[in-house]
């Protein structure tokens, strides 16, 4: 039996930085994809255009991704 959507959201949510985990379930896949791209080196402008994120959130994702690299 495949995992439920709720289980998938919980799994993705656990992979996000703690400060971003309180997002509604329907935002988790998009936020996780943006977080993944931020960790791969994409900049905030790309996250804003691709995922239609608010600028503050896009910049925060990039900042958090850079913090994890060091």
């Amino acid at each position: 039996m495949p995992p439920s959507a709720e289980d998938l959201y919980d799994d993705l949510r656990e992979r996000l930085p703690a400060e971003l985990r309180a997002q509604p379930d329907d935002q988790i896949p998009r936020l996780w994809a943006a977080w993944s791209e931020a960790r791969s080196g994409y900049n905030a402008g790309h996250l804003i255009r691709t995922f239609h994120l608010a600028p503050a959130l896009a910049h925060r994702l990039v900042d958090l991704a850079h913090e994890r690299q060091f």
Side-chain angles (χ1 to χ4, degrees):
M1 175 180 218
S4 69
E6 185 176 312
D7 289 340
L8 290 174
Y9 292 151
D10 289 343
D11 184 51
L12 292 177
R13 184 176 273 117
E14 286 298 316
R15 297 177 189 199
L16 290 170
E19 71 183 70
L20 301 173
R21 293 180 188 161
Q23 302 297 317
D25 282 353
D26 66 335
Q27 297 298 311
I28 295 299
R30 179 174 68 119
L31 189 57
W32 189 86
W35 167 239
S36 180
E37 291 208 3
R39 290 181 305 156
S40 295
Y42 286 91
N43 65 26
H46 169 78
L47 301 180
I48 292 165
R49 288 187 305 276
T50 304
F51 300 102
H52 307 284
L53 297 180
L57 178 56
H59 285 281
R60 186 63 186 141
L61 283 170
V62 170
D63 289 346
L64 288 167
H66 287 164
E67 288 173 12
R68 288 201 170 195
Q69 290 177 356
F70 300 106

